[in-house]
Structure formats: structure tokens, C-alpha cells
Amino acid sequence: MTCVAVPRDHHRVRVRRTALATSLYTPQSPLPAFEQSLPPPDLSRWLTGNDGIPGVITQRSGHAGPTVVIVSLVHGNEYAGATALDRLLRSGLTPPVGTLSVIFANLAAFARFDPENPVASRFVDEDLNRVWSAERLHSNAQSCELDRARELAPLIERADILLDLHSMLWDSEPLLLAPNTESSLTFAAALADPDGPDLIVTDLGHRGGNRLIEHPRFTTHGGGCACLLEAGGHWQRRTADTAEAVTMKALEFAWGQRPARRVMLRRAIVTDNVVAQSANFAFTESYRGGAFIRHGGTIIAQDGPDDICTPYDDCLLIMPNHRPARGHMAVRLAKLI
Ligand SMILES: [Zn+2]
């Protein structure tokens, strides 16, 4: 896997609609009822932690080897990853080499999870997946999430291999997000599988701040590699199964147990972040994440007075958000490479 530059656009993504063209906009309906087939896990036995940090279970093999960190619950309402890690810990998982730390990250937000309002407990004060720059971590700012990030930071700084388990609100195929470095892309390739996820995405980051996989430890000269799994729908049983299967692949990779095999995987690079500029952003169809738009210049959404168009042929829609608030990410546009 080699790093590549971002391809150039062919068409403009945002085009002001002419006075004659009619808007497809229809008022946004309330959030639909999302599938909730996976109950929240009972994490009580992990809350204290075993190494001085709440919600962190660290096991040392006593043999030389990598420091592996598997993270769940960076977003408090995305508990499928925590379910997977709870299962693996209960099964007696121990590292044969090196050190393994399992992190249940935003326990304060998870404690507020309410199945009647499942989208509300993503965080307490701010998004824990936007605070991982040296600047934020070393600032004087305080929040529930920054305090937690500072508590976890020493573990992150030692991680040779980090997997961050997430899930998605809107219907989408599972995918792997990897920083554009040789080591992280190699790691992501080891996790890809024809049974899913087989799509590795490198994106443009979040303008709101650094995600955990963008911590300085995982930049080109940081020494560690990282990958984020979007395992499926937030509260679905199969999402926990995917998170568990990918975690096992990550551990086999880390422990030298995963034989090299050539998998037909797909790699995409995000070229555009489409941020809603109006309160009435609306897609022209109920696109699923991973949808493939054949022709460049296709109108995929309307945002106030603007049409949103695909910038090139064979454009991939990454995690469309069908109810973006003004200023929030509505979709990422990506090119298969
Ligand atoms: Zn998430």
C-alpha cells in the first residue's frame, strides 16, 4: 500500500442553482426509528480498570512484542465495539506477546445512553474524537472529554498499533478509515476482508479537530499505526459481530499470526467534505453509504440555493448524513484508486 495524493476535481461540487431550476427540497421529517437489535453491554466489571485508569484493561505478556490498543466508546452511544471487546475480555483473551490495552473511552457519555433517545449520548461536553491534537491536549481548556483524553493520552502515545471501533447512524456498508501513511495502510489492508469491510478510505480529516487516529503518534514519523472501523449501524447485532471479527484480525496481525494473503480490497480517497451550509440540506435520494454514482456532475443533494454535484465519474458517497445540521458534515465524496 502506498500513499497517494488527492486527485483533482473535474466538476464543481457546489453549484448555485439558477432562478429557473426548482428546488427538490422538502421539509425534513423527524429522525426515523433506527434498528435497535443490540442492547447496551454490561460493562460494570471493566469500569474500575486494572491498571489505574477507569475503563482500561491492560495485559502484559511478559514477552517482547507490540503495544496494541483497541478502543471502543469514543462516542458514548456507539456501544457495538464495547460489546465486542466485552465478549473478547470475558472469553479470556490475553496477548501471547507484547502488551494489550482495551479501552472503554467515553464512559460518562455511555452512562447516559437512553434507548428512547439513542442519538443523544454521543458525548457529554464535546466530541471526544476531535480533541487529539497536541494543541488541544496541552491547552488550558477543560471539558469532560478533554479530561478523559488527557487521562488516556499516555496509552495512546505508547501504542504501536491502534484500532478504534465505531459505528454509524445512517445505513452504510462497513468501512475502514486509515491515515495516509504506509504503516497504517498496511494495517488496514490486513483487516480488510471480502466478507466486509473491504473498503479502505483515506479522508481529509474533520475541520472540528483531530480524531484519535490523527493523534501525532500516528502521523508519518510518529512510530505507530492506526485504523478506525465503522462497523455498521449503531445498535445492530451484526455490527458487534463485525467489530469482534475485525478486532481479532487486528490482534492476529499484531501478534504475527495473520498469514499474508492477497485480498481484493477497494481503496478510496476522499476528495471533498460536503458541509451543510443551510438548515435544509436534502439528498435527492436516500443514498446508502458506499453508494457509487456513475456520472460526474450528477446532482446528489440540494443545500439552500445550491446544488451538490459529484465532481467526477464513479464517485463514492461516504457516510451520507440525511439530517445534517447547518455547519455539519453531510457527506464525503471519494474516488476509488
Ligand atoms: Zn463514532
Side-chain angles (χ1 to χ4, degrees):
M1 298 291 277
T2 50
C3 316
V4 298
V6 175
R8 292 178 66 85
D9 296 357
H10 305 301
H11 300 268
R12 283 169 59 212
V13 171
R14 185 175 287 275
V15 179
R16 185 56 52 95
R17 204 174 309 115
T18 64
L20 293 174
T22 54
S23 170
L24 297 174
Y25 168 68
T26 50
Q28 289 188 354
S29 52
L31 281 179
F34 293 98
E35 179 184 333
Q36 293 187 48
S37 54
L38 182 72
D42 174 7
L43 301 179
S44 52
R45 71 163 75 180
W46 317 121
L47 296 183
T48 310
N50 72 343
D51 204 25
I53 306 176
V56 177
I57 306 299
T58 294
Q59 301 179 75
R60 296 174 181 83
S61 68
H63 302 284
T67 295
V68 182
V69 177
I70 312 287
V71 187
S72 65
L73 279 180
V74 163
H75 292 133
N77 63 343
E78 298 179 13
Y79 55 69
T83 299
L85 296 184
D86 174 57
R87 283 183 199 160
L88 290 172
L89 286 173
R90 284 173 195 264
S91 75
L93 180 76
T94 53
V97 293
T99 298
L100 170 64
S101 288
V102 167
I103 297 179
F104 300 97
N106 200 339
L107 290 168
F110 173 66
R112 297 179 173 197
F113 181 78
D114 175 4
E116 297 297 316
N117 189 9
V119 296
S121 50
R122 184 174 169 87
F123 54 78
V124 175
D125 293 328
E126 63 176 316
D127 192 327
L128 180 56
N129 216 20
R130 305 287 183 269
V131 302
W132 296 97
S133 64
E135 189 184 14
R136 278 311 302 284
L137 291 169
H138 299 140
S139 70
N140 293 324
Q142 283 202 306
S143 69
C144 175
E145 278 76 16
L146 263 174
D147 292 347
R148 181 59 166 161
R150 288 166 182 145
E151 189 171 50
L152 298 175
L155 286 167
I156 306 305
E157 286 156 12
R158 289 197 294 273
D160 296 310
I161 296 171
L162 178 139
L163 176 65
D164 188 13
L165 302 171
H166 287 251
S167 55
M168 299 174 279
L169 180 63
W170 298 97
D171 188 27
S172 177
E173 63 172 279
L175 57 90
L176 297 155
L177 274 177
N180 196 17
T181 69
E182 189 93 37
S183 62
S184 289
L185 290 167
T186 300
F187 175 39
L191 306 181
D193 193 291
D195 297 331
D198 73 340
L199 177 64
I200 299 173
V201 177
T202 299
D203 70 6
L204 303 170
H206 255 282
R207 62 179 189 165
N210 280 30
R211 291 171 296 193
L212 178 55
I213 60 170
E214 290 148 0
H215 183 282
R217 176 67 176 166
F218 311 115
T219 53
T220 304
H221 303 294
C225 66
C227 186
L228 184 158
L229 171 68
E230 294 285 3
H234 281 334
W235 312 296
Q236 299 176 5
R237 283 190 182 279
R238 58 187 174 279
T239 304
D241 296 341
T242 300
E244 184 175 349
V246 172
T247 298
M248 284 312 300
K249 285 179 198 149
L251 295 174
E252 289 164 9
F253 171 82
W255 299 338
Q257 299 169 340
R258 188 154 175 81
R261 67 186 173 117
R262 297 195 67 81
V263 174
M264 284 298 290
L265 53 85
R266 296 178 302 146
R267 174 126 185 261
I269 189 151
V270 172
T271 58
D272 299 87
N273 287 341
V274 177
V275 173
Q277 293 183 1
S278 75
N280 55 8
F281 186 103
F283 285 95
T284 54
E285 292 180 30
S286 56
Y287 291 113
R288 183 170 191 261
F292 203 59
I293 310 299
R294 179 71 191 86
H295 297 291
T298 302
I299 298 173
I300 56 164
Q302 296 196 326
D303 187 12
D306 297 336
D307 289 332
I308 305 298
C309 306
T310 51
Y312 35 74
D313 290 348
D314 301 329
C315 180
L316 205 56
L317 307 189
I318 305 293
M319 291 191 282
N321 174 358
H322 289 271
R323 296 286 189 283
R326 188 200 300 262
H328 283 221
M329 186 89 79
V331 65
R332 302 159 181 83
L333 306 178
K335 198 174 185 64
L336 281 175
I337 53 174

